RNA sequence: GUGCCUUUAGCUCAGUCGGUAGAGCGCUUGAUUGUGGUUCAAGAAGUCAUGGGUUCAAUCCCCAUAAGGCACCCCA
């Protein structure tokens, strides 16, 4: 037996319906906010991710699917999409198009991690990028939009966390201050944190070991080390969020794993997800375009929603809607089957969803019920000679005899 | 990549203190002629994850591998 490889999976009905619904909601909301879709290749030159995401990040250093192409080029399956979008933006000189560029995408990403609930090697993201604006109003609109998408999909209990991680002016100073303080207290911390104190001091702030908390809490907050510009920027973002009455928690210890983030960072967590509690993460990346070779400054901000996790939340909280069918036709006999085929074709042309069965009536009624049909049409010799149809409402059990035009009106009115 | 747990019918799980297996749900068929969601009956379906070892004998014990889950790590 050949089966799906580790960390990948098949998305089957009825779950695929939820996936489609999520994507439809996202597309609709993106359109409302004047975003347009961008589709970039699934694989890129390895150098793009190494430079964009950061050579030292876990993603690049140990999680990428990388191979050598036949001409010797190193290629990589995309582990995220922001670097590709920026690459395309630069390559196609999209800076020449007036106004900020508002782009969205959805599709598979690949990271070779150990699979868990809510974590797959091929996983799907729905995300967006705004390039060419560093206005706090943009940050607020982006955050508002992502909340709208999740809410629109039916997610309850959205918990939004925001922070500012500073810019290239102020972050180095904070890092130095943090490192210095860690030197003095590090003997009191857990093994992990002692290691992080050297390799990635910001991560110590994220430590969950209870014994470490008294020390971690006394570490400096990035918010106290922001430069004036970043302080003002973050305060304005918060003000705009307050204007919109969007609830959030400022968590100075929210840190992000990708190197390119600057200033505003944000994340939405949900209790239904277990250890992989984050359903969406995002932030500003003002220096990314330059680090990928752009000659002109192109500040940007974006987010990505973990679609697998979003669907999981909807399924676990019962927010996934069952599929339903407008009409199930139960023909009895050859003449009825022919008649049913034509009737079904005509109704489908009028946007009525129709299934035609074949077999004994009792069996067809069962199938209609299992298909979650709203109505069943019973079609036999009696009906054909009389020129009427027997339409049964599967919820109430009521059955009515009607003419063809009454039938069409009845079914199309329900839509 | 590390540690721990799990793996028996399509699904959820029992079980044999080592003698090749069961339930519920689901599926198929039937309960006289054209009516579902309830009921009743019958039936199909499992090399008990894979490979090896111990044993007269392994689904059960041991080892390895794989997949899944949880924690770490990291992230969406």
């Amino acid at each position: 037996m050949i089966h799906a490889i580790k960390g990948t999976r098949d998305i089957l009905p009825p779950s695929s319906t939820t996936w489609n619904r999520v994507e439809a909601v996202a597309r609709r909301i993106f359109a409302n906010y004047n975003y347009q879709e961008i589709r970039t290749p699934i694989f890129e030159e390895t150098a793009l991710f190494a430079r964009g995401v950061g050579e030292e990040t876990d993603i690049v250093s140990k999680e990428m699917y990388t191979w050598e192409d036949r001409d010797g080029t190193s290629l990589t399956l995309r582990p995220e999409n922001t670097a590709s979008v920026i690459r395309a933006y630069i390559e196609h000189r999209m800076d020449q198009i007036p106004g900020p560029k508002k782009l969205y995408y959805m599709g598979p990403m690949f990271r070779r991690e150990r699979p868990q609930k809510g974590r797959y090697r091929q996983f799907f993201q729905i995300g967006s990028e705004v390039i060419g604006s560093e206005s706090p109003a943009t940050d607020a609109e982006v955050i508002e939009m992502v909340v709208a998408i999740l809410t629109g999909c039916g997610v309850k209990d959205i918990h939004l966390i925001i922070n500012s991680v500073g810019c290239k002016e102020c972050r180095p100073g904070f890092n130095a201050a943090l490192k210095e303080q860690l030197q003095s207290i590090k003997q009191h911390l857990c093994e992990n944190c002692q290691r992080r104190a050297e390799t990635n001091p910001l991560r110590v702030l994220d430590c969950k070991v209870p014994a470490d908390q008294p020390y971690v809490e006394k570490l400096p907050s990035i918010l106290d080390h922001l430069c004036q510009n970043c302080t003002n920027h973050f305060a304005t973002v918060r003000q705009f969020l307050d204007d919109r009455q969007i609830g959030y928690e400022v968590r100075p210890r929210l840190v992000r794993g990708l190197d390119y983030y600057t200033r505003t960072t944000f994340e939405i967590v949900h209790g239904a997800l277990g250890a992989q509690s984050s359903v969406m993460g995002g932030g500003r990346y003002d220096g990314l375009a330059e680090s990928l070779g752009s000659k002109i400054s192109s500040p940007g901000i974006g987010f990505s929603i973990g679609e697998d996790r979003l669907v999981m939340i909807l399924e676990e909280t019962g927010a996934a809607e069952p599929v339903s069918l407008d009409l199930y036709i139960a023909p009895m006999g050859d003449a009825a089957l022919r008649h049913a085929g034509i009737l079904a074709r005509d109704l489908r042309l009028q946007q009525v969803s129709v299934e035609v069965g074949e077999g004994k009536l009792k069996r067809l009624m069962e199938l209609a019920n299992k298909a979650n049909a709203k109505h069943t049409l019973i079609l036999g010799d009696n009906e054909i000679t009389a020129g009427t149809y027997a339409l049964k409402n599967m919820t109430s059990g009521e059955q009515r005899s009607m003419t063809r035009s009454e039938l069409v009106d009845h079914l199309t009115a329900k839509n």
Side-chain angles (χ1 to χ4, degrees), chain A residues 28-93:
Chain A
R28 195 188 74 230
I29 293 174
F30 281 133
N32 291 156
Y33 282 82
N34 193 31
Y35 281 70
Q36 290 179 288
E37 185 174 14
I38 181 169
R39 301 192 189 193
T40 63
I42 296 284
F43 58 93
E44 299 262 9
E45 272 192 48
T46 303
L48 173 66
F49 303 116
R51 298 208 327 243
V53 178
E55 204 86 57
E56 301 308 316
T57 59
D58 279 16
I59 291 175
V60 171
S61 64
K62 53 191 193 198
E63 295 174 1
M64 294 204 303
Y65 283 96
T66 297
W67 73 99
E68 188 175 293
D69 199 13
R70 295 169 74 160
D71 65 2
T73 315
S74 180
L75 302 179
T76 294
L77 291 178
R78 63 183 188 192
E80 57 101 58
N81 206 17
T82 300
S84 299
V85 171
I86 301 301
R87 194 221 80 233
Y89 173 88
I90 296 168
E91 186 170 332
H92 301 289
R93 291 306 309 263

Side-chain angles (χ1 to χ4, degrees), chain A residues 127-414:
Chain A
S128 83
E129 316 290 346
V130 184
I131 310 160
S133 164
E134 58 178 335
S135 165
T138 302
D139 300 38
E141 189 186 272
V142 165
I143 293 170
E144 173 197 317
M145 179 175 69
V146 76
V147 170
I149 292 172
L150 295 180
T151 307
C153 288
V155 179
K156 308 265 187 275
D157 308 318
I158 286 175
H159 187 72
L160 172 68
I161 303 163
I162 65 170
N163 189 28
S164 174
V165 297
C167 61
K168 62 175 190 282
E169 304 299 328
C170 47
R171 188 145 40 145
F174 171 69
N175 261 325
L178 184 61
K179 224 163 180 169
E180 194 186 315
Q181 282 221 17
L182 281 172
Q183 284 308 316
S184 60
I185 61 151
K186 115 177 152 174
Q187 68 273 17
H188 303 295
L189 299 176
C190 67
E191 241 176 77
N192 275 331
C193 285
Q194 299 204 12
R195 181 172 44 76
R196 290 178 186 136
E198 301 301 328
T199 58
N200 195 348
L202 280 175
R203 282 262 149 238
V204 178
L205 297 174
D206 209 27
C207 179
K208 282 144 199 130
V209 177
D212 287 9
Q213 294 314 305
Y215 300 100
V216 173
E217 277 163 20
K218 293 200 186 75
L219 289 169
S221 163
I222 181 118
L223 294 180
D224 297 330
H225 286 73
L226 295 179
C227 61
Q228 197 57 50
N229 281 342
C230 287
T231 304
N232 293 344
H233 191 275
F234 191 49
T236 311
V237 171
R238 293 183 55 180
Q239 186 188 11
F240 288 164
L241 290 176
D242 293 339
D243 287 349
R244 291 161 161 83
Q245 295 180 300
I246 294 168
Y248 59 85
E249 174 200 342
V250 176
R251 187 181 294 178
R253 288 155 59 185
L254 173 67
V255 293
R256 314 237 95 242
L258 286 68
D259 283 356
Y260 54 62
Y261 283 116
T262 60
R263 291 190 165 171
T264 312
T265 59
F266 51 98
E267 182 168 328
I268 288 174
V269 295
H270 198 279
L273 294 172
Q276 272 63 48
S277 62
S278 173
V279 67
M280 183 284 306
R284 183 161 273 291
Y285 43 84
D286 290 340
L288 179 56
E290 279 114 314
S291 72
L292 290 177
S294 175
K295 302 277 197 306
I296 56 149
S297 168
S298 300
I301 180 168
F303 65 82
S304 60
I305 294 169
E307 192 175 358
D308 305 75
R309 294 180 186 177
L310 172 52
V311 169
M312 189 180 303
I313 290 171
L314 297 178
E315 289 179 340
E316 288 194 12
T317 60
E321 287 167 21
V323 188
S324 77
L325 181 69
D326 294 325
L327 180 69
Y328 193 98
I329 303 182
M332 282 169 291
D334 293 343
L337 183 62
R338 286 181 72 184
H339 194 104
I342 293 162
L343 178 63
R345 191 263 320 264
D346 293 347
L347 287 167
R348 285 163 174 160
L349 284 171
Q350 301 201 51
Q351 313 306 318
V352 179
S353 59
V354 183
E355 181 60 276
V356 181
E358 239 186 302
K360 291 186 180 176
L361 181 59
K362 181 181 167 59
R363 172 79 181 137
L364 296 179
M365 292 303 293
E366 284 175 18
L367 288 173
N369 189 52
K370 281 166 187 161
N372 206 15
K374 293 184 187 118
H375 301 275
T376 300
L377 186 77
I378 293 150
L379 187 57
D381 294 339
N382 298 347
E383 283 75 18
I384 291 175
T385 37
T388 61
Y389 296 91
L391 185 70
K392 179 161 183 165
N393 182 314
M394 295 299 278
T395 313
S396 65
E398 178 199 4
Q399 187 168 319
R400 282 170 52 192
S401 178
M402 53 182 74
T403 65
R404 180 177 172 127
S405 65
E406 282 169 343
L407 174 72
V408 172
D409 289 348
H410 190 76
L411 292 172
T412 51
K414 294 279 169 163

